[in-house]
Amino acid sequence: MKNLRQKIMGLGFVTASSFLTTNAAHALSGPSTIQIDGGPLGVLDLSGGIDSYGYVVSGLGNGQQNTGINVGSALIELQKTTGELQFTLEVGSSGGAIAPGTITARPSQTTIGSFSTGPLFAGYMTLAPKDMPFTLSAGRFTSIEGYEYGLPAWFDSSQLVTDIYWVQNGQDTGVEGSYNQGPLAVTINFGDGWDTHVFNFLQALTSYSFNTDNVLSLYYGGNLGRTGLNARTYGWSGGTTVSDYGPYFINSQLFGAYYSYTTGNLNLVPEVQYVFAKTDHQLGIDKTTSNLGVALFADYSLAKTPYSLGGWIEYENSRGAGAWFLGPQSQGVGFALSPTWQYKSLFVRANAGGFYLTQNKYDGVAYGYGGNSEGKFQFAGTLEVGLML
């Protein structure tokens, strides 16, 4: 299961309703929008980008390649954002995110074969009534859980991601409604969370802006009914089922919150998240299992220069038999540091981070990193180059 989790991360475990969404903590300026004449459709917005990276990872198993080069994200987005009938179409793949501490095999090459929709990363139609504070959409979405979102590399302050990101749902097909009035924004999504084609998953995100520098967000993602072991999920091209993946991920309840605080060129975002799966003997969950993640994200932009510095620190704690992060009953701390240089649409970023297991035993059996699979520390580093359209 852990190898499969790494594959999913490398292939683009994604979590945002639009890859062009931005907020104060993003170190990079996003892609510029190119407006084109869509004829009877009106004005359309085109944007996108691509990034690749070289990596080095310590603590892999015997015979595993600890260095290499991969493509991360490669996405093109076409949007109609005016009028009562709008749409979003995203084609390509979002990948390259690496979670230090989870890696038991080398990072995988991103591919369009990760999801059941193939090259269609996301695509949905939106009804936006004139002069009304709500919209209604239907189609293919990315998750609204969490701060890191699983966006393409150019939107996060580090290519390295936390345990919080690691345990979240990604793509789904369904319906989504949004309400935005004054400082309050609410989005609710109902669909087949985890790309199972079993429609019983609810997500919600509520944000309140006290002012432009202080924003509180609360989120939820949960299964409203049992998703059986034979349901298909991420990695459709490989025939992956819930049983292969781990039923506690997909049959779970997740709650979280993050707060964005900005002062000058510094942005700080603390986040806490708790996810659990209750006992369900039919699914093989013989005892309730859970994961707690706590992180502090930071990004500092050097004024009047093309440089910025992002990073985070984290703590994770798993309970029960579920291997949420690396193994059951895992507990540890991690960090990431990512200096970035950007000139217009080109960026170069170095990412360095690690994770130290303070607890790596279950039922008296140790697990971890290295040839003996008992090491407690893992380092991950990448050098990333990207171009945004």
Side-chain angles (χ1 to χ4, degrees):
M1 191 278 290
K2 287 174 287 191
N3 286 339
L4 180 58
R5 289 291 293 170
Q6 172 55 33
K7 176 181 177 183
I8 293 168
M9 180 68 77
L11 298 182
F13 187 80
V14 291
T15 55
S17 60
S18 172
F19 81 90
L20 294 182
T21 303
T22 62
N23 64 45
H26 294 145
L28 294 167
S29 300
S32 299
T33 299
I34 301 172
Q35 292 192 331
I36 60 177
D37 184 358
L41 296 178
V43 176
L44 304 180
D45 297 329
L46 179 68
S47 60
I50 185 171
D51 78 299
S52 60
Y53 63 97
Y55 66 86
V56 57
V57 179
S58 71
L60 300 184
N62 291 328
Q64 292 288 345
Q65 182 179 341
N66 66 347
T67 61
I69 299 175
N70 281 338
V71 173
S73 299
L75 280 173
I76 295 293
E77 178 179 79
L78 183 66
Q79 282 188 310
K80 182 179 185 295
T81 59
T82 59
E84 295 185 355
L85 187 61
Q86 305 174 10
F87 69 84
T88 294
L89 179 65
E90 298 172 11
V91 178
S93 180
S94 174
I98 297 173
T102 62
I103 301 171
T104 56
R106 64 187 180 91
S108 300
Q109 183 85 9
T110 189
T111 175
I112 61 174
S114 178
F115 305 114
S116 60
T117 50
L120 179 63
F121 179 75
Y124 49 91
M125 299 292 296
T126 298
L127 179 63
K130 186 178 180 180
D131 299 325
M132 298 296 288
F134 65 87
T135 62
L136 182 63
S137 303
R140 180 74 167 175
F141 302 94
T142 49
S143 174
I144 56 177
E145 299 166 19
Y147 170 71
E148 291 167 283
Y149 287 14
L151 290 165
W154 47 83
F155 278 120
D156 283 323
S157 57
S158 177
Q159 184 186 9
L160 307 181
V161 295
T162 68
D163 158 76
I164 293 175
Y165 173 96
W166 185 255
V167 301
Q168 292 169 347
N169 155 67
Q171 303 291 95
D172 78 280
T173 300
V175 294
E176 186 171 285
S178 295
Y179 173 86
N180 195 323
Q181 184 71 30
L184 179 66
V186 179
T187 299
I188 297 176
N189 177 290
F190 178 79
D192 68 333
W194 304 89
D195 199 24
T196 60
H197 286 199
V198 178
F199 293 89
N200 61 7
F201 199 84
L202 180 68
Q203 300 173 74
L205 171 65
T206 300
S207 296
Y208 187 87
S209 300
F210 299 95
N211 52 51
T212 56
D213 295 331
N214 293 269
V215 182
L216 173 65
S217 297
L218 308 175
Y219 60 91
Y220 163 80
N223 185 281
L224 302 182
R226 179 184 292 116
T227 300
L229 298 177
N230 292 325
R232 298 285 289 276
T233 184
Y234 300 125
W236 279 65
S237 59
T240 307
T241 66
V242 170
S243 180
D244 299 327
Y245 184 81
Y248 44 90
F249 281 97
I250 297 168
N251 292 277
S252 62
Q253 302 293 312
L254 180 149
F255 302 87
Y258 54 91
Y259 188 94
S260 177
Y261 168 72
T262 302
T263 176
N265 295 331
L266 176 65
N267 179 251
L268 297 173
V269 182
E271 181 174 12
V272 60
Q273 177 181 280
Y274 180 73
V275 57
F276 71 92
K278 63 183 181 180
T279 301
D280 191 326
H281 298 295
Q282 185 172 329
L283 293 170
I285 307 173
D286 295 326
K287 187 177 180 179
T288 298
T289 178
S290 66
N291 175 268
L292 171 68
V294 180
L296 174 63
F297 303 89
D299 178 71
Y300 183 78
S301 298
L302 280 71
K304 299 180 181 179
T305 78
Y307 300 100
S308 63
L309 181 63
W312 48 258
I313 55 175
E314 69 167 329
Y315 167 78
E316 80 88 18
N317 189 324
S318 296
R319 288 288 178 261
W324 293 94
F325 196 56
L326 180 67
Q329 300 286 99
S330 71
Q331 181 175 304
V333 293
F335 73 93
L337 193 64
S338 301
T340 302
W341 173 86
Q342 180 178 9
Y343 176 73
K344 296 184 179 179
S345 297
L346 175 68
F347 73 89
V348 179
R349 178 166 55 187
N351 302 277
F355 191 85
Y356 180 80
L357 285 164
T358 57
Q359 166 62 37
N360 67 327
K361 288 185 178 180
Y362 180 69
D363 282 348
V365 179
Y367 55 84
Y369 315 110
N372 62 0
S373 298
E374 294 184 6
K376 288 193 171 186
F377 180 76
Q378 183 174 67
F379 171 84
T382 72
L383 180 60
E384 187 183 7
V385 179
L387 181 65
M388 296 172 287
L389 303 179

